[in-house]
Amino acid sequence: MNYSSIISTISFCCFSIATNAQIIEKKTSIDDQTKMSITIYNNDLALIKDQRKVTLNQGFNHLAFRGVSAKMKPETAMLRSLSHGKGFNVLEQNFDYDLLTPNKLLDKYLGKQIHITTTNPATGKQKTEKATVLSTHQGVVLKMGNRIKTNPSGQFIFDNIPENLRDQPTLVTQLNSATSRTQQLELSYLTGGLSWKADYVAELNATDTKLDLLGWVTLNNRSGAAYKNAKLQLVAGDVNRVKKQRSPRSQEMYSFAMAADANPMSEESLFEYHLYGLNRSTDILNKQTKQVSLLSAHSIPVNKELVLNGSQYYYSSRQGQIGQKLKVGVFIQLENKKATGLGMPIPKGIVRVYKKDSQDNAQFIGEDNIDHTQKNETIRLKLGNAFDVTANKKQTDFSKRNHILPGKHSFESAFQIELNNAKPEAVTVIVREPIPGDWEILQESHTHKKIAASTAEWKVKIPAESKTVLDYRVLVQY
């Protein structure tokens, strides 16, 4: 580009901005909207793509893009023409989120004159006077003639609405357009105030061997804008963001029954995350919580486990009695595989589990969090602690032994775990002991399995309404 072209361009822009005061503001609202797309992330962040048909003047325009999110991040806003991109240039944009309210209107008239109309309660006659707004801090202070009044009664009358006070969040732009034809404009921006989470409702069968699982996506819109007929997508994964420096369950079961035949969302990989898309358009209104179906699977095989977890602290010191009526955790485990009816990346959320009683009423039996779970992985849920299965644990022997290396320690200790079963049927309890250092089981009443470098596991069967004792002796070296 030669110097004359540059000078001409600068002159045109300066002229356009200088004559801005004489140009009538064009407005576009959601009535002009042709397409709305929303991508919501896990951490109170959403990407909005708002397409509208707008007719601009050829040359300079002052465009007010109404109905945007009140929590827009204006530094991320990008307005472009999809149909007439050549010659379309945004010169300036301002995000007006100071919304019209009686208090804000008074604030804008500080030091200016308004009118106030009062009614005589005895005669019913109205009187209108001029007043100057002196203060709106902790109340209203007006000067009316030679009088100063605080919080006067009456109706305030204003000449007009200030330009920077809007009835709804608005992105105001100054732009050049090469054509006066109707264009397809797209405004994209990031915003807060939109969030989603996954919740799951599961029902165990009578024998605790299978469950039905329904996944819900719960959307929460507190952005200050409504999104009509929107294409919805959700991103599951931990998207990195630069942090600024600091300056009712019965309804769930009803939903489970109603949504059993709902179509699940589509799913695809996106970078190192997963993208879920609703297969239809939906409305997400402001200050609304909406639920849509994520997945539905039936008769998923599960494995129930009763687990007693130990601790490391009692392997290097004398303890004696360790605990009476220790809690035995109840877990269920399922495989996220296609063969089980799942086999898709599952977003993190809370799984709430129910089971029907003898009267065929679904009762809540526990809940647990799951993290993002890829396909072919195991989902393990702790539902609570067993009521009828408990354990008593004590240390029956302890001694220090000489280590072959100076400065090292060896401890030999023996333990007895009494497992009690008050149920009318036999159960198996998994005893998991985290043992520190280098360890060796010297004696045991039941055969253990080394499931990790520092973990021994015993599977102990307990007859109905009876007890079983697990004895073992271990050598620990540091």
Side-chain angles (χ1 to χ4, degrees):
M1 181 183 290
N2 57 37
Y3 287 111
S4 60
S5 298
I6 295 174
I7 293 170
S8 298
T9 302
I10 294 174
S11 300
F12 173 73
C13 292
C14 292
F15 174 75
S16 297
I17 296 172
T19 58
N20 179 35
Q22 286 77 40
I23 294 179
I24 298 174
E25 179 180 87
K26 286 185 173 292
K27 295 181 175 65
T28 174
S29 68
I30 59 174
D31 293 334
D32 304 322
Q33 207 168 75
T34 58
K35 187 176 181 182
M36 168 62 71
S37 300
I38 306 175
T39 303
I40 308 178
Y41 300 80
N42 284 125
N43 46 357
D44 190 33
L45 183 71
L47 172 63
I48 307 296
K49 291 188 176 181
D50 186 346
Q51 293 185 19
R52 302 182 186 182
K53 278 190 175 180
V54 180
T55 302
L56 299 172
N57 296 324
Q58 185 176 9
F60 183 81
N61 290 265
H62 197 165
L63 177 65
F65 209 99
R66 291 161 49 84
V68 298
S69 167
K71 297 188 178 180
M72 170 198 284
K73 300 180 184 297
E75 67 275 14
T76 68
M78 182 175 67
L79 180 65
R80 59 176 181 157
S81 175
L82 301 180
S83 56
H84 298 79
K86 188 175 181 180
F88 183 90
N89 299 301
V90 177
L91 307 174
E92 182 179 311
Q93 58 189 29
N94 302 285
F95 180 39
D96 290 347
Y97 54 90
D98 207 3
L99 298 185
L100 178 63
T101 65
N103 289 337
K104 289 290 178 66
L105 194 53
L106 274 169
D107 288 342
K108 298 296 183 182
Y109 270 83
L110 275 174
K112 299 178 182 179
Q113 277 195 344
I114 63 171
H115 291 81
I116 180 168
T117 299
T118 56
T119 303
N120 188 315
T123 64
K125 290 184 177 181
Q126 289 188 335
K127 180 182 178 181
T128 300
E129 297 179 80
K130 290 183 178 180
T132 301
V133 182
L134 299 181
S135 176
T136 59
H137 180 64
Q138 296 182 349
V140 180
V141 181
L142 300 181
K143 182 179 181 181
M144 303 173 66
N146 296 323
R147 299 164 296 161
I148 304 296
K149 284 195 172 185
T150 60
N151 299 321
S153 60
Q155 183 179 12
F156 295 166
I157 302 173
F158 303 86
D159 293 335
N160 52 54
I161 297 175
E163 289 185 3
N164 58 346
L165 199 59
R166 305 274 177 174
D167 61 339
Q168 57 184 272
T170 304
L171 185 71
V172 181
T173 63
Q174 296 176 11
L175 58 89
N176 286 322
S177 173
T179 180
S180 58
R181 294 178 180 177
T182 300
Q183 303 185 46
Q184 185 81 358
L185 301 186
E186 180 187 75
L187 176 65
S188 62
Y189 58 90
L190 294 174
T191 180
L194 281 162
S195 60
W196 75 279
K197 64 175 183 173
D199 290 281
Y200 304 90
V201 180
E203 185 178 325
L204 270 176
N205 66 355
T207 58
D208 300 338
T209 57
K210 293 183 179 180
L211 62 74
D212 296 337
L213 180 67
L214 175 67
W216 281 114
V217 166
T218 302
L219 306 169
N220 199 346
N221 181 10
R222 294 295 182 270
S223 69
Y227 308 96
K228 298 289 189 69
N229 200 32
K231 178 184 177 183
L232 176 65
Q233 293 179 299
L234 310 171
V235 174
D238 302 319
V239 178
N240 189 53
R241 296 177 63 190
V242 176
K243 294 182 179 179
K244 293 182 179 179
Q245 294 184 352
R246 288 187 179 269
S247 48
R249 294 185 175 116
S250 61
Q251 292 178 333
E252 291 165 357
M253 289 309 298
Y254 176 78
S255 299
F256 188 97
M258 293 297 291
D261 297 324
N263 292 325
M265 285 186 166
S266 62
E267 180 274 329
E268 63 179 276
S269 295
L270 174 68
F271 190 55
E272 295 301 321
Y273 317 119
H274 283 275
L275 183 69
Y276 299 84
L278 188 63
N279 294 326
R280 55 184 175 81
S281 298
T282 188
D283 295 340
I284 309 174
L285 304 182
N286 187 39
K287 296 183 180 179
Q288 181 185 63
T289 298
K290 175 186 286 288
Q291 286 188 305
V292 294
S293 178
L294 172 65
L295 61 87
S296 180
H298 301 275
S299 298
I300 304 169
V302 297
N303 180 36
K304 185 176 78 171
E305 293 181 342
L306 301 175
V307 181
L308 177 67
N309 288 309
S311 300
Q312 292 188 3
Y313 72 90
Y314 42 72
Y315 285 96
S316 58
S317 61
R318 193 179 301 275
Q319 297 294 329
Q321 188 66 45
I322 295 173
Q324 293 285 329
K325 289 191 175 182
L326 299 176
K327 301 292 185 180
V328 175
V330 182
F331 297 80
I332 60 171
Q333 187 170 289
L334 58 146
E335 303 298 324
N336 183 18
K337 295 181 178 179
K338 192 172 183 179
T340 67
L342 292 175
M344 65 175 287
I346 296 178
K348 66 181 179 181
I350 298 176
V351 182
R352 296 175 176 90
V353 184
Y354 296 79
K355 184 177 178 178
K356 290 182 178 178
D357 60 20
S358 59
Q359 302 299 315
D360 205 34
N361 297 316
Q363 303 292 346
F364 176 68
I365 59 173
E367 65 184 14
D368 200 4
N369 281 300
I370 60 170
D371 203 348
H372 298 305
T373 305
Q374 56 268 51
K375 62 182 179 181
N376 300 322
E377 289 292 314
T378 299
I379 297 174
R380 184 176 173 82
L381 307 172
K382 182 177 181 180
L383 300 185
N385 294 314
F387 184 91
D388 292 321
V389 181
T390 59
N392 302 320
K393 183 184 292 187
K394 63 182 178 180
Q395 188 184 64
T396 57
D397 193 19
F398 178 82
S399 63
K400 293 183 178 180
R401 293 179 51 176
N402 294 326
H403 199 284
I404 58 173
L405 297 176
K408 301 292 185 179
H409 305 280
S410 294
F411 306 97
E412 183 179 322
S413 52
F415 299 89
Q416 184 179 89
I417 302 176
E418 181 185 275
L419 299 166
N420 300 289
N421 175 23
K423 297 170 78 68
E425 68 272 0
V427 298
T428 297
V429 174
I430 299 173
V431 178
R432 289 199 182 107
E433 286 290 327
I435 307 175
D438 296 325
W439 56 275
E440 178 186 359
I441 301 294
L442 303 176
Q443 297 175 3
E444 57 187 343
S445 60
H446 296 71
T447 303
H448 81 283
K449 183 178 180 181
K450 188 174 183 179
I451 63 171
S454 60
T455 306
E457 180 183 276
W458 291 267
K459 291 185 177 181
V460 183
K461 189 172 183 178
I462 315 167
E465 300 180 350
S466 184
K467 67 179 181 180
T468 300
V469 176
L470 168 64
D471 290 301
Y472 66 96
R473 180 177 293 270
V474 61
L475 174 64
V476 177
Q477 300 182 82
Y478 295 94

